[in-house]
Amino acid sequence: MTDHVATQVKQEIRTAASKRRTFAIISHPDAGKTTLTEKLLLYSGMVRTAGMVGARKSGKLATSDWMEMEQERGISITASAMQFGYKGAVINVLDTPGHQDFCEDTYRTLTAADSAIMVIDAAKGVETQTRKLFEVCRLRQIPVLTFINKMDLPGRAPLDLMAEVEEVLGIHASAINWPIGSGRDFLGVVNRETRHVLLYTKTASAGAAKPDLTELLLDDPSVKRRVPDYVWEELTHDLELLEIAGNPFSKDEFQNGKVTPVFFGSALTNFGVEAFFDAFVELAPSARGRFADLPNGDERLIDPVETPFSAYVFKLQANMNPRHRDSTAFMRVCSGKFDRDMVVTHHRTKSEVRLSRPHSMVAKDRHTVDVAYPGDVIGIINTGVFQIGDTISVANGFNYKPLPQFQPEVFARVRPTDTTMRKSFDKGIEQLAKEGTIQILRSMDGLEFFVAAVGKLQFDVLEFRLQSEYRVKTIVDMLPYESSAWLVGDVETFKPPSDALVVKDSQDRAVVLFRSAWSKNFARERNPQHDFKDMG
Ligand code: G4P
C-alpha cells in the first residue's frame, strides 16, 4: 500500500470510528429497555410506527416481516447487535440477552460496548439487576447515561431518584434535563443548561408516532401559563435546589465514569425521548481503543485507527438457525478496517484464518458484511476455531484482555431422563459450556456431571436449550453448595470437610465445592499445606 493510500484508509477508519456509538442498555426487566430501543428505531426513521421490536420480542411479529423491514430500511441485525444510522451517527445497539435474571452473557457483551444507557423505572428506582450491571460498567470504566423512564406514571420524586442513584450506585449524578410534572401531569422536560423547554401533547397514537411538541424558553411567560401552578412551583423549587446543591457536569468526567448524566422521560409516550437520543449521540464516546497485554507483560492501549485490523470474540452461539446447524463467533472490531475474506492471525492458536463468511444478520438468511470498522460487531461462522476471549488481528504481538470470569454460586447435578440420549446430552452440554452458559465439573472418577453457574437462570437456559436444540430432556438436581475454589496443592493429601465435595474441572484441575464460608475456613485450618484459588 502506498503512503498516500494508507493515509486515505486511515482517514476513512478515523471518520467511521468517530461516527460509531456502540452501547448496551442495562436495566432491570420491565423498566423499558425494549420500548426505548424501539423508539430509537422510530426516531432514526428506521420504522414508521413503533411496536415492531416489542412484537418481535413477544413473538407476535414473524421473522420474515422483520427481515423485510430490515431490507427495506437498511437495518442490520446480528443476534448480538443491531446497526443503523441516527442523525449522522452509526448506532450499534448491543443485545444484552432478555432473560429475566442475571446472566454472564450480558457481562461479556458489555465488554464490547463503549457506553451504556441505564434505564430506571421512576416508580421503582435502582433495582437489583441494574445495580449488578452498573457494577460491571464501573469495573470496566464504561460511561453510563441514565434515563429515568415511565415519568407518565405515578412515581417517586425526581430528587429522590437522583439521590438514590448516587447512594446506591456510588456515582455522581448530574441532571441534564428535568421533568415538568409527573404522572398524568408529566408535560415535558427542561434542559437545565440551555433553559430550553419541550412541552408535549399526548397524541392519539399512544406513542406509536412522535408526539406534538412546543419548544419554548423557560423564561417565556407562556410556559408558566401552560402548566398547573403546583407543577410550576415544584419545577422552580427543584431547579433552584439543583443549582445550589447539584453536581456539575463535564463530558470528560462522564467519559471517565465519574458522573452519570441523568435524563427524564417516558419511552412509551415518547416524551423526552428524542432530546435524550440527541444528547446521547453528542455525549457518548465513539469507538474507543481497548487495552491489550503484550508478550513482555506490559499492557498497551490499542489505537482504533493506527493499528491495523484487530478484534476479539466476546460471544459464541450455536444453533441460532435451524437451517444452519453451526456456531457463530461474535467479534468486536477494535481497530482498523475489516474486509471480507481477510486473512488474519488467530493469536491463541498462532494460526492463520480466513474470515470468509462474515455476516451481520442471523435469522433465516445471512447477509454478508463486506466492511466493518472499530465499534462494529461481526459474526463469523465458527467451526470450532474460536473461543470466548480470542484475539485475531493482522498485526499480531498483543492479546486483548481476557474476558471476565465469574465465580460460580450455584451448582447442580444434571442427567438425561432417557439414558439412551447420553451422546446428545454430552454434545449439548459441552457446547453450552463452550459458549460460557455454564461450567462443567466432573466427579473425580469422571462418571458424574456437575454444572456450575453464576445464577440459577443459567440452569433454566441449559435445560431449555438441551431440550430444544438437542432433544434431550434433563433432570437438574440443585446441590447445596454456595461457593467453589480451585485447590492449590496435592489433592491426594487434601482432607476435605465432611460437607464439602472435591470434583475436577474441564482441565482436570481439582475444585472444592463448599456449603458455607465457615466450611471453607475449616478446610483451610485443617489443610495448612493447601490453598484455595477463586474461580472468578
Ligand atoms: P424491558 O424490555 O425492560 O423488559 O421492558 P419493556 O420495554 O418491555 O416494558 C415493560 C412494560 O412497561 C411494557 O408494558 C411497556 O409498554 C411498559 N412501558 C415501557 N416504558 C413505559 C413508559 O414510559 N410509560 C409507561 N406507562 N409504560 C411503559 P407491558 O404491558 O408489559 O407490555 P406491552 O403489552 O405494553 O408491550
Side-chain angles (χ1 to χ4, degrees):
M1 203 186 290
T2 66
D3 284 355
H4 175 66
V5 175
T7 312
Q8 262 186 346
V9 173
K10 274 191 190 168
Q11 192 47 45
E12 176 189 332
I13 298 168
R14 185 171 292 114
T15 309
S18 71
K19 286 186 178 172
R20 272 17 186 208
R21 298 290 181 275
T22 303
F23 72 99
I25 302 184
I26 57 172
S27 63
H28 197 79
D30 269 352
K33 184 171 93 173
T34 312
T35 314
L36 194 68
T37 311
E38 185 168 284
K39 296 309 165 75
L40 189 50
L41 288 174
L42 177 74
Y43 280 99
S44 62
M46 292 295 151
V47 296
R48 274 163 297 245
T49 55
M52 303 286 274
V53 181
R56 182 170 178 257
K57 175 177 153 184
S58 61
K60 286 179 214 150
L61 184 76
T63 310
S64 56
D65 295 347
W66 179 253
M67 280 171 49
E68 219 170 86
M69 189 178 95
E70 282 191 299
Q71 275 159 11
E72 223 178 78
R73 295 268 142 183
I75 308 172
S76 93
I77 296 171
T78 64
S80 247
M82 178 156 56
Q83 182 178 76
F84 53 89
Y86 179 82
K87 299 188 182 170
V90 177
I91 306 282
N92 289 314
V93 193
L94 300 176
D95 183 25
T96 44
H99 304 312
Q100 294 295 304
D101 196 2
F102 142 116
C103 182
E104 291 183 30
D105 233 16
T106 309
Y107 286 69
R108 294 203 194 92
T109 298
L110 275 175
T111 67
D114 294 307
S115 61
I117 292 178
M118 172 165 72
V119 181
I120 290 177
D121 182 326
K124 296 189 173 147
V126 179
E127 297 176 84
T128 17
Q129 192 156 339
T130 316
R131 222 180 52 226
K132 289 183 185 170
L133 292 166
F134 177 84
E135 221 22 71
V136 179
C137 292
R138 187 214 303 280
L139 284 173
R140 301 200 67 91
Q141 288 161 349
I142 299 171
V144 176
L145 296 99
T146 302
F147 184 75
I148 298 191
N149 191 29
K150 304 200 185 180
M151 286 303 295
D152 59 308
L153 294 177
R156 293 173 35 195
L159 285 170
D160 250 27
L161 290 161
M162 297 280 295
E164 182 166 299
V165 167
E166 298 212 324
E167 274 160 32
V168 177
L169 303 178
I171 187 171
H172 289 307
S174 178
I176 302 296
N177 69 17
W178 201 251
I180 304 175
S182 63
R184 270 167 190 256
D185 285 335
F186 179 45
L187 302 171
V189 289
V190 53
N191 182 300
R192 284 182 55 221
E193 195 191 331
T194 61
R195 298 178 77 76
H196 202 98
V197 172
L198 303 175
L199 286 175
Y200 300 95
T201 316
K202 273 201 189 107
T203 50
S205 70
K210 297 184 185 186
D212 291 333
L213 177 71
T214 311
E215 299 189 45
L216 295 163
L217 280 175
L218 189 60
D219 307 321
D220 186 325
S222 72
V223 177
K224 186 167 184 286
R225 280 202 302 275
R226 280 164 169 258
V227 305
D229 288 347
Y230 88 96
V231 169
W232 178 256
E233 271 161 33
E234 245 172 44
L235 177 68
T236 43
H237 167 263
D238 285 0
L239 289 177
E240 264 172 37
L241 210 70
L242 285 170
E243 251 356 278
I244 304 163
N247 291 303
F249 178 76
S250 101
K251 195 167 168 175
D252 276 354
E253 296 253 291
F254 154 65
Q255 295 207 351
N256 292 328
K258 301 268 184 302
V259 59
T260 177
V262 179
F263 300 80
F264 291 83
S266 156
L268 188 70
T269 60
N270 301 333
F271 290 18
V273 166
E274 190 173 15
F276 171 63
F277 290 149
D278 290 355
F280 166 75
V281 168
E282 153 72 25
L283 295 175
S286 52
R288 288 174 142 190
R290 292 286 188 272
F291 278 97
D293 292 323
L294 304 180
N296 65 5
D298 289 351
E299 60 171 30
R300 179 157 60 98
L301 182 68
I302 303 296
D303 187 278
V305 179
E306 295 302 323
T307 310
F309 172 74
S310 70
Y312 74 91
V313 179
F314 65 92
K315 176 170 167 166
L316 292 184
Q317 193 163 348
N319 307 331
M320 284 182 304
N321 180 344
R323 280 193 10 203
H324 304 270
R325 280 220 159 252
D326 48 23
S327 142
T328 300
F330 291 103
M331 315 180 178
R332 164 170 166 126
V333 179
C334 298
S335 68
K337 181 180 177 187
F338 166 82
D339 284 303
R340 187 155 68 109
D341 284 333
M342 207 166 197
V343 176
V344 296
T345 306
H346 183 289
H347 295 202
R348 183 175 49 81
T349 58
K350 300 187 174 51
S351 56
E352 307 251 285
V353 244
R354 179 181 293 274
L355 303 177
S356 51
R357 285 192 289 162
H359 54 269
S360 72
M361 180 202 158
V362 183
K364 258 197 289 193
D365 283 334
R366 290 180 171 135
H367 294 214
T368 302
V369 172
D370 290 323
V371 289
Y373 298 98
D376 289 346
V377 170
I378 46 175
I380 305 277
I381 308 288
N382 183 22
T383 48
V385 179
F386 297 111
Q387 286 180 10
I388 288 171
D390 281 351
T391 300
I392 53 165
S393 80
V394 292
N396 214 340
F398 60 87
N399 273 312
Y400 283 111
K401 297 263 170 207
L403 293 196
Q405 279 260 338
F406 299 93
Q407 186 81 22
E409 288 174 16
V410 288
F411 305 85
R413 184 181 279 118
V414 255
R415 56 201 154 93
T417 49
D418 175 354
T419 45
T420 62
M421 296 300 281
R422 186 84 212 186
K423 237 178 153 178
S424 303
F425 172 81
D426 287 357
K427 200 168 146 206
I429 217 154
E430 245 147 56
Q431 176 57 40
L432 294 172
K434 243 190 240 161
E435 287 178 26
T437 308
I438 41 124
Q439 292 183 38
I440 299 180
L441 302 169
R442 282 189 180 84
S443 55
M444 291 310 268
D445 60 13
L447 296 178
E448 251 185 310
F449 258 117
F450 302 101
V451 288
V454 181
K456 164 128 187 0
L457 165 86
Q458 267 107 318
F459 294 158
D460 299 342
V461 173
L462 172 80
E463 238 183 310
F464 175 78
R465 289 192 55 189
L466 283 173
Q467 160 102 52
S468 70
E469 291 162 25
Y470 298 88
R471 307 264 160 256
V472 185
K473 266 196 153 155
T474 46
I475 299 173
V476 175
D477 294 318
M478 294 302 291
L479 296 171
Y481 307 104
E482 63 172 43
S483 74
S484 58
W486 281 304
L487 179 67
V488 184
D490 183 6
V491 66
E492 298 296 330
T493 57
F494 177 64
K495 293 192 284 277
S498 59
D499 61 354
L501 184 67
V502 183
V503 293
K504 56 184 181 183
D505 71 4
S506 54
Q507 290 165 47
D508 282 343
R509 290 173 294 192
V511 171
V512 191
L513 310 185
F514 296 104
R515 285 197 192 202
S516 63
W518 184 89
S519 172
K520 189 170 174 184
N521 276 340
F522 177 66
R524 200 170 261 135
E525 281 167 21
R526 204 178 182 192
N527 297 276
Q529 310 300 332
H530 294 77
D531 201 1
F532 303 113
K533 189 167 171 271
D534 280 352
M535 294 175 75

